[in-house]
Structure formats: structure tokens, C-alpha cells
């Protein structure tokens, strides 16, 4: 899994495991979360949105947050 870096005030980077449909997001504050059963098109749209200059935080809030099961897996500083 390769990290996708976001030019965002909220999201530092994210990556996706297609085999398990797991999206991992590291936020600017250092917290890392795994989101489960995220369909690949949601991840692909996230990448496209970020690469085209869209807000990673906005996409996260609209398409991921509160939509999928998640767990905090760590804190990186």
C-alpha cells in the first residue's frame, strides 16, 4: 500500500488495501484510523478529489466519516 499525501489542514495521508477494503487515514494531529469495508470506488474518488486540488477533509466528512466502521490504530507524531 502506497501512501497518498494530501495538501490538507486535516488529513496528512491515506492508503488503501484493496484485498481487505481497508482505508487507513493519518490525520494532521497524528491519529491514525482504519476504516473497514470501504469500496474501491470511494477510495479512487478520494484520490481523484485530492489530486485535483479538492479538500481532503471535505471529502472525508461527506463520503467516509460516519459511513464505515472504524478503529483508531495509533498516534504518530
Amino acid at each position: 500500500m502506497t501512501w497518498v499525501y494530501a495538501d490538507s489542514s486535516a488529513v496528512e495521508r491515506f492508503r488503501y488495501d484493496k484485498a481487505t477494503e481497508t482505508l487507513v487515514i493519518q490525520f494532521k494531529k497524528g491519529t491514525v484510523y482504519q476504516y473497514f469495508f470501504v469500496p474501491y470506488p470511494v477510495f479512487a474518488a478520494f484520490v481523484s478529489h485530492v489530486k485535483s486540488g479538492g479538500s481532503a477533509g471535505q471529502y472525508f466528512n461527506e463520503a467516509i466519516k460516519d459511513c464505515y466502521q472504524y478503529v483508531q490504530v495509533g498516534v504518530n507524531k
Side-chain angles (χ1 to χ4, degrees):
M1 295 184 293
T2 302
W3 286 106
V4 176
Y5 287 84
D7 184 13
S8 167
S9 61
V11 176
E12 178 72 29
R13 60 189 183 163
F14 58 96
R15 63 185 178 187
Y16 184 76
D17 184 336
K18 195 171 186 179
T20 63
E21 294 188 309
T22 302
L23 176 64
V24 180
I25 302 176
Q26 179 180 342
F27 292 90
K28 291 285 186 178
K29 292 183 178 183
T31 53
V32 180
Y33 289 85
Q34 287 183 336
Y35 292 84
F36 304 105
F37 310 111
V38 178
Y40 180 77
V42 172
F43 167 71
F46 194 12
V47 172
S48 178
H49 187 79
V50 168
K51 297 281 184 181
S52 67
S55 167
Q58 179 183 10
Y59 185 89
F60 168 77
N61 286 330
E62 293 175 0
I64 300 167
K65 183 179 181 182
D66 299 326
C67 296
Y68 302 98
Q69 294 178 335
Y70 66 91
V71 64
Q72 183 175 343
V73 293
V75 177
N76 292 335
K77 295 204 176 191

